[in-house]
Amino acid sequence: NAGVTQTPKFRVLKTGQSMTLLCAQDMNHEYMYWYRQDPGMGLRLIHYSVGEGTTAKGEVPDGYNVSRLKKQNFLLGLESAAPSQTSVYFCASSLSPYNEQFFGPGTRLTVL
Amino acid sequence: DQQVKQNSPSLSVQEGRISILNCDYTNSMFDYFLWYKKYPAEGPTFLISISSIKDKNEDGRFTVFLNKSAKHLSLHIVPSQPGDSAVYFCAASGTSYDKVIFGPGTSLSVIP
């Protein structure tokens, strides 16, 4: 039982490059979330999903896209990376918004 | 416009004493509150929660108090231990929400 895993753990991109972050959970959770953590800003919600095939925007969705084709996976895409997207990205999953969220270990992304 | 506020970015406490972390919220529709703990280079982990039908919830050394009229909650850690040194996030959700709003976090240092 791995919980929530994230791939990759670290990545350095140049401005304008694209990449996809993969989140996988093995707890059969309906809800999945992508957050970014920046100093002094806490955890800000980028996009989330309430079930397979669904996605919704969070607080800071601009510049990101997501897909949830399978219940266990939630992908976060950056089509054209910008230095402002340098951050630590966390994925999480939960049974519902009222249940605890289980977080992955994070992906540290640097955009030069 | 921050809906969940943690006005103390940092807190330093002597080992064995009480740590009190505070959280304020602005939206009266929130009715479920959670605390998460985060160590460096790891994802946040769930600590304790409270629903609005209660004003106190206890789990070992950790107690959360909720004052609905003041829209304020606090996390008490007694006694504080060096291993409690981490960033603590307050989070809120509600019946009409399908996501959780996080505060900016408070960094707790417990001095041996």
Side-chain angles (χ1 to χ4, degrees):
Chain A
N1 191 341
V4 179
T5 58
Q6 292 184 232
T7 309
K9 288 186 167 45
F10 302 94
R11 186 73 187 267
V12 178
L13 289 179
K14 293 181 179 176
T15 297
Q17 287 185 318
S18 64
M19 77 164 294
T20 300
L21 282 68
L22 171 64
C23 176
Q25 52 96 2
D26 60 3
M27 296 171 282
N28 202 34
H29 286 166
E30 291 292 339
Y31 288 72
M32 295 188 75
Y33 312 84
W34 275 108
Y35 296 93
R36 59 177 289 173
Q37 187 195 9
D38 303 291
M41 303 293 286
L43 292 163
R44 291 186 294 169
L45 184 64
I46 304 171
H47 285 281
Y48 63 103
S49 168
V50 303
E52 182 179 316
T54 74
T55 63
K57 293 181 180 180
E59 301 170 72
V60 289
D62 294 341
Y64 305 95
N65 56 74
V66 287
S67 65
R68 183 117 181 252
L69 299 179
K70 293 183 179 180
K71 187 176 185 178
Q72 63 267 35
N73 295 337
F74 195 29
L75 278 62
L76 177 72
L78 286 73
E79 289 186 347
S80 179
S84 61
Q85 295 177 304
T86 292
S87 188
V88 181
Y89 292 85
F90 290 101
C91 175
S93 72
S94 67
L95 283 170
S96 79
Y98 281 8
N99 294 99
E100 64 176 286
Q101 292 186 18
F102 292 83
F103 283 82
T107 295
R108 184 173 293 275
L109 175 66
T110 301
V111 183
L112 302 175
Chain B
D1 180 29
Q2 272 189 342
Q3 297 188 68
V4 178
K5 304 176 185 181
Q6 293 176 259
N7 292 323
S8 298
S10 62
L11 177 67
S12 192
V13 171
Q14 207 73 29
E15 180 178 4
R17 306 294 279 264
I18 184 171
S19 295
I20 300 176
L21 292 86
N22 294 304
C23 177
D24 297 289
Y25 60 96
T26 57
N27 193 333
S28 57
M29 299 299 288
F30 289 144
D31 59 10
Y32 193 68
F33 305 90
L34 310 96
W35 285 93
Y36 288 82
K37 177 179 179 179
K38 185 185 179 305
Y39 292 118
E42 293 183 11
T45 55
F46 170 75
L47 191 56
I48 193 169
S49 62
I50 189 167
S51 78
S52 60
I53 61 172
K54 292 184 168 184
D55 53 19
K56 177 182 172 182
N57 189 25
E58 214 169 335
D59 184 1
R61 296 186 297 114
F62 302 91
T63 303
V64 57
F65 295 91
L66 175 62
N67 182 333
K68 290 186 289 292
S69 60
K71 295 192 182 68
H72 176 83
L73 61 155
S74 60
L75 174 68
H76 292 210
I77 307 173
V78 184
S80 301
Q81 298 173 354
D84 296 329
S85 297
V87 176
Y88 290 79
F89 291 102
C90 173
S93 185
T95 312
S96 56
Y97 287 84
D98 53 10
K99 55 185 181 288
V100 173
I101 307 297
F102 282 82
T106 295
S107 178
L108 173 66
S109 295
V110 180
I111 304 162

